[in-house]
Amino acid sequence: MGIQFNFVFFSASSNCYSTGNGGSNMAAGLNLQPRTVSGHLILNLSNQGLTSIPEEVFDITDLEVLDVANNKLTCIPEAIGRLQKLSRLDANSNMLTSLPKAIGSLQGLEELYVHNNDFSELPDGLEALQKLEWLWVKDNKLTKLPTKMFSCLNLVNFDASNNRISTLPPGVENLQKLTELYINDNQLTEVPPGVCSLSNLEVLKASNNKLSTFPPGVGKLQKLRKLDIDDNQLTEVPPGVCSLSNLEVLDVGNNKLSDFPLGVEKLQKLTKLYLNDNQLTEVPPGVCSLSNLELLVVSNNTLSTFPPGVEKLQILTHLYIRDNQLTEVPPGVCSLPNLEALDVSNNKLSTLPLGVEKMQKLTQLAIANNQLREVPPAVCSLSNLEKLVVNRNPIARLPDDVKRLAGLKVLDFASCQFDEFPRQVLQLKTLERLCAGDCKFDIVPDELGNLQQLWFLSLEINLLRTLPSTLSRLHNLREVRLWNNKFDTFPEVLCELPAMEKLDIRNNKITRLPTALHRADKLKDLDVSGNPLTYPPQDVCEQGTGAIMAFLKQEAEEEGGKRVEQEKEKGMSAAARKGGIIETAAETELKRKFRERREKSARMQQQASQQRDQPAEKKGINQGASPVQSRVVEQASGAGVVRKQPTTLKMAGDNTAQDKDLDLAFSRLSLKVKQAEWKHIARQLGFNNQEIKDIEVLL
């Protein structure tokens, strides 16, 4: 039968929890049922967003493993002491500032992980944890360790790296079971001599401190596999290092070494050797006898030569000899069949050795900042090459066969001396990163749009005024560098890059940013400094990318609203103009026809008056004609026409008032009446079908 719980809801307080009823707390959705794994009772509450540990947890007295890592805990309650069977506690990656004293009562605790919190100190009493084997307190703010810390005699793995510790407590020599000691990234000025008495030590990492010396006796650490003492102020390699026959990794980089002790050839298990960032004038000759060496880093020294025999390093995969004074690549490098990465940048090379094509496993080749005038054609035979860096050389062109590098992902030819953009590069459809800055290019070919995998594009310090519209095809492009060019208008095509996160277009001559830029909604880092921008306003630009994008979006929405209104008005105006032309023509023809009829009526009335005294003709006249009745429009509109009662035209002089009424009617007609309605109005004015057809011909 499973363990039944009533849920308890918590808030950060001095007691680390509080009880109560309800269902709104994070705890309401938790599964507080432990499970058995490999015979151990485990409760995993990691990654739950907890601000405190549910009190019921401390009632599971048989619990052996409690994982509350990656939450938002600010403290662990003293009730932890009730879990006397606990063997492992994971409370790393929280917001803890202290540990409860009750931790010291957990006599069965073997593993304690409280790294990546906010501790400034650890409580006394941890020395009571005599079964403790693993203790990780790295990535905190510790300035010291408890005085009796090293009384935990069963410690096997202790990691206090990345704190602010300046000294270690006494007694480190008591930790005879210790196999791994991490004290790197602190402020130590010395390593206690007792460290060299730890006969079972396999890993010692003391990098990035303030060590100027190392204690004698390091040669006694015969089980040592890894020794990292880089990033210090050492002037010599600790005596005895070359007698560590089990050493596999030795890192003494970034110190002040001017030489290396004799006997390095005895380190036959060495696979990785870091001698970089020192003051070495030569590589110890014995290095070329290390038959198991896979990685050799001697960059940033003052080497002018390299010892013979490098071809003996047959399983070497990575060789870094950049930032020296070499005039030639070490003889034999091209005979290293397993070499995957070669970096000889920042030397004084004018040529590469013959046989480059033999390095068929090479994936990375960096020959930047030398005196090379060409990329050897043999480089184009390296079928597995993924990264080629040739920048800052006086190279005038790339080999045409560079397009054969079908798997190339990174190409950097910045600061070379090309006459024009090398078009053959644009056939490398696997390219993900292209650096073409400082080449004085004034145009980029349209074929740039073929590089569909490109996510990084660097074109800074050129003479560009425009970008090809095909750039819009680069849907994976995340970072674009265009600073120090000749743009006076913002390239609109940049607004069509849906994946763009970073854009550097500073130091151009751009005065306005387009509102369409807001469509690049993933853009989080925009640098437009050094441009004479007037839009957006300076105060907006000073607030950074977020403010600029919000401004442009708001402006775009307002512009969109205005555009809709303008389109509506434009449509109405066009319709009015179209209707007005027809209606004006209709008005003219209607008035002409009406005037003709009125004049005809007047003549007939005059004839009738002259014949009034002639009885023989009076009857015929009366039977042959009747006065024309004038229909004067009082109101014309789209709703219809309201007419005055017919008036008989008796005298031509009566027509003046009627003309005015007629003009007024047609003025209203031309302004208000739709094109389809004028025929109806014409009929109301007394025109027959033939007269209306005559008007249509004229229109």
Side-chain angles (χ1 to χ4, degrees):
M1 182 175 178
I3 300 175
Q4 300 295 317
F5 295 104
N6 293 319
F7 288 113
V8 182
F9 307 112
F10 307 90
S11 62
S13 67
S14 59
N15 294 322
C16 297
Y17 57 80
S18 61
T19 60
N21 297 318
S24 61
N25 195 278
M26 273 293 295
L30 289 178
N31 179 8
L32 298 180
Q33 178 72 51
R35 57 194 180 94
T36 301
V37 178
S38 301
H40 297 284
L41 195 63
I42 296 174
L43 179 60
N44 187 349
L45 299 178
S46 62
N47 297 290
Q48 298 296 319
L50 296 176
T51 56
S52 52
I53 302 174
E55 186 180 19
E56 293 91 343
V57 169
F58 307 115
D59 293 331
I60 313 173
T61 55
D62 289 333
L63 198 62
E64 296 175 79
V65 177
L66 175 60
D67 188 349
V68 291
N70 294 294
N71 282 292
K72 300 178 181 179
L73 304 178
T74 55
C75 62
I76 295 175
E78 293 291 340
I80 192 76
R82 304 211 298 261
L83 305 180
Q84 284 297 303
K85 292 187 179 181
L86 205 63
S87 64
R88 172 170 173 166
L89 174 60
D90 294 68
N92 55 287
S93 304
N94 279 286
M95 301 163 61
L96 300 174
T97 57
S98 64
L99 285 176
K101 292 182 179 180
I103 284 282
S105 69
L106 301 176
Q107 296 298 307
L109 200 63
E110 298 175 0
E111 300 177 47
L112 177 59
Y113 302 101
V114 291
H115 51 285
N116 194 23
N117 278 288
D118 291 322
F119 296 122
S120 57
E121 63 179 3
L122 296 175
D124 291 329
L126 292 180
E127 67 276 7
L129 302 175
Q130 285 301 302
K131 290 189 177 182
L132 196 63
E133 297 179 358
W134 288 64
L135 176 59
W136 284 13
V137 294
K138 64 178 179 178
D139 301 315
N140 278 288
K141 300 175 182 177
L142 301 173
T143 57
K144 62 179 181 178
L145 296 173
T147 305
K148 299 180 180 180
M149 182 75 259
F150 295 146
S151 296
C152 298
L153 302 182
N154 282 296
L155 272 180
V156 172
N157 188 304
F158 179 56
D159 191 341
S161 60
N162 197 24
N163 279 286
R164 303 170 184 176
I165 300 168
S166 56
T167 59
L168 294 178
V172 67
E173 63 275 8
N174 297 327
L175 305 179
Q176 286 300 307
K177 294 184 179 181
L178 199 66
T179 60
E180 298 185 23
L181 176 60
Y182 301 90
I183 50 176
N184 52 289
D185 297 280
N186 279 289
Q187 299 177 13
L188 298 172
T189 56
E190 66 174 0
V191 173
V195 168
C196 295
S197 300
L198 302 176
S199 58
N200 286 299
L201 200 63
E202 298 179 11
V203 176
L204 173 57
K205 190 165 183 177
S207 308
N208 196 22
N209 279 286
K210 300 179 179 180
L211 307 177
S212 57
T213 60
F214 206 83
V218 69
K220 293 186 290 184
L221 302 176
Q222 284 299 303
K223 292 186 178 180
L224 203 63
R225 295 182 293 104
K226 183 175 183 178
L227 176 60
D228 287 359
I229 49 177
D230 54 298
D231 293 295
N232 280 290
Q233 300 172 18
L234 300 173
T235 56
E236 65 176 0
V237 176
V241 162
C242 291
S243 65
L244 299 175
S245 57
N246 286 297
L247 202 62
E248 298 173 5
V249 178
L250 174 60
D251 190 346
V252 292
N254 198 19
N255 279 286
K256 299 180 179 180
L257 307 177
S258 56
D259 58 21
F260 198 88
L262 297 174
V264 67
E265 65 275 5
K266 291 187 269 185
L267 303 177
Q268 282 300 306
K269 290 188 178 180
L270 206 64
T271 61
K272 297 179 181 179
L273 176 59
Y274 299 85
L275 302 174
N276 55 287
D277 296 277
N278 280 290
Q279 301 168 13
L280 300 174
T281 56
E282 65 176 2
V283 175
V287 166
C288 294
S289 299
L290 301 175
S291 58
N292 286 299
L293 202 62
E294 298 174 6
L295 181 146
L296 176 59
V297 185
V298 292
S299 302
N300 198 21
N301 281 284
T302 56
L303 307 177
S304 56
T305 61
F306 207 85
V310 68
E311 66 275 5
K312 293 186 290 184
L313 303 176
Q314 285 293 291
I315 65 172
L316 194 70
T317 59
H318 293 73
L319 176 59
Y320 299 97
I321 50 180
R322 59 178 294 136
D323 296 292
N324 281 288
Q325 300 176 18
L326 299 174
T327 56
E328 64 176 1
V329 175
V333 163
C334 294
S335 299
L336 299 175
N338 290 295
L339 200 63
E340 297 175 10
L342 173 62
D343 190 345
V344 293
S345 301
N346 300 346
N347 280 285
K348 298 180 179 180
L349 307 176
S350 56
T351 61
L352 292 183
L354 296 175
V356 169
E357 67 278 1
K358 293 188 290 184
M359 297 186 288
Q360 282 300 307
K361 289 190 178 180
L362 205 65
T363 61
Q364 301 178 33
L365 176 60
I367 54 177
N369 199 20
N370 279 287
Q371 300 170 12
L372 299 169
R373 295 191 173 276
E374 68 170 0
V375 175
V379 168
C380 302
S381 300
L382 301 175
S383 57
N384 287 300
L385 202 63
E386 296 180 359
K387 180 177 181 179
L388 177 59
V389 181
V390 301
N391 60 290
R392 290 177 292 164
N393 278 291
I395 297 172
R397 68 186 308 275
L398 292 176
D400 289 339
D401 282 345
V402 73
K403 60 190 176 186
R404 294 171 52 195
L405 299 175
L408 201 65
K409 295 180 180 180
V410 178
L411 177 59
D412 185 347
F413 54 79
S415 302
C416 286
Q417 298 180 5
F418 300 119
D419 291 331
E420 61 179 5
F421 198 99
R423 291 179 179 268
Q424 60 270 46
V425 166
L426 302 177
Q427 298 183 45
L428 298 170
K429 296 186 179 181
T430 57
L431 272 186
E432 298 177 4
R433 184 181 177 102
L434 177 60
C435 301
D438 193 23
C439 289
K440 305 298 183 289
F441 296 138
D442 58 1
I443 190 170
V444 177
D446 288 345
E447 291 84 353
L448 181 64
N450 296 335
L451 306 182
Q452 297 287 302
Q453 303 303 315
L454 208 64
W455 66 266
F456 179 96
L457 176 61
S458 176
L459 292 168
E460 75 278 359
I461 319 177
N462 280 297
L463 304 173
L464 301 175
R465 297 180 183 276
T466 61
L467 292 176
S469 60
T470 55
L471 201 69
S472 62
R473 301 177 194 163
L474 304 183
H475 294 165
N476 293 305
L477 197 57
R478 301 198 301 269
E479 183 169 347
V480 184
R481 297 183 181 180
L482 296 169
W483 47 276
N484 280 59
N485 273 283
K486 300 293 183 181
F487 296 107
D488 50 21
T489 59
F490 188 91
E492 293 274 353
V493 69
L494 295 174
C495 304
E496 309 302 324
L497 300 176
M500 185 168 61
E501 299 173 0
K502 184 174 182 178
L503 172 62
D504 188 343
I505 196 166
R506 57 193 156 96
N507 298 336
N508 280 282
K509 300 178 181 179
I510 298 168
T511 57
R512 292 179 61 87
L513 298 182
T515 55
L517 183 59
H518 85 278
R519 295 200 298 265
D521 55 3
K522 290 188 178 179
L523 187 60
K524 305 301 179 187
D525 188 350
L526 172 64
D527 191 345
V528 291
S529 60
N531 282 288
L533 285 176
T534 58
Y535 182 90
Q538 184 176 356
D539 61 328
V540 172
C541 294
E542 289 174 351
Q543 296 176 53
T545 304
I548 292 173
M549 297 299 283
F551 175 86
L552 295 176
K553 183 176 182 180
Q554 181 178 353
E555 291 286 291
E557 290 173 351
E558 292 180 1
E559 286 179 3
K562 291 178 181 178
R563 193 176 297 113
V564 169
E565 292 300 321
Q566 289 173 353
E567 290 297 327
K568 287 181 179 179
E569 292 177 3
K570 184 178 179 181
M572 293 172 63
S573 176
R577 286 195 301 272
K578 184 176 180 181
I581 293 171
I582 294 175
E583 288 158 8
T584 301
E587 174 191 352
T588 302
E589 185 62 15
L590 286 169
K591 289 174 71 173
R592 183 181 68 78
K593 291 282 188 180
F594 194 78
R595 187 174 294 109
E596 288 177 357
R597 292 170 62 133
R598 188 176 56 194
E599 290 174 352
K600 181 179 179 181
S601 176
R603 286 196 300 272
M604 292 174 66
Q605 289 181 12
Q606 185 177 7
Q607 292 173 3
S609 177
Q610 292 174 353
Q611 297 174 1
R612 190 173 295 157
D613 297 329
Q614 301 177 13
E617 299 177 2
K618 182 176 182 181
K619 182 177 179 180
I621 293 174
N622 289 341
Q623 292 176 346
S626 64
V628 177
Q629 295 178 335
S630 174
R631 296 168 177 85
V632 180
V633 178
E634 183 178 74
Q635 180 176 357
S637 68
V641 177
V642 179
R643 296 176 293 157
K644 288 184 178 180
Q645 294 299 320
T647 303
T648 300
L649 297 180
K650 295 182 179 180
M651 296 178 60
D654 295 336
N655 293 339
T656 303
Q658 293 171 359
D659 284 345
K660 291 180 179 180
D661 286 342
L662 194 63
D663 288 339
L664 177 60
F666 276 100
S667 294
R668 290 173 178 171
L669 180 72
S670 63
L671 291 174
K672 298 182 180 182
V673 178
K674 296 180 181 179
Q675 179 180 350
E677 296 177 351
W678 71 267
K679 293 181 182 179
H680 175 67
I681 295 172
R683 289 190 180 95
Q684 289 181 305
L685 291 173
F687 290 86
N688 60 37
N689 289 337
Q690 185 58 48
E691 290 171 329
I692 291 174
K693 288 181 180 179
D694 292 342
I695 295 172
E696 282 184 309
V697 172
L698 294 174
L699 298 181

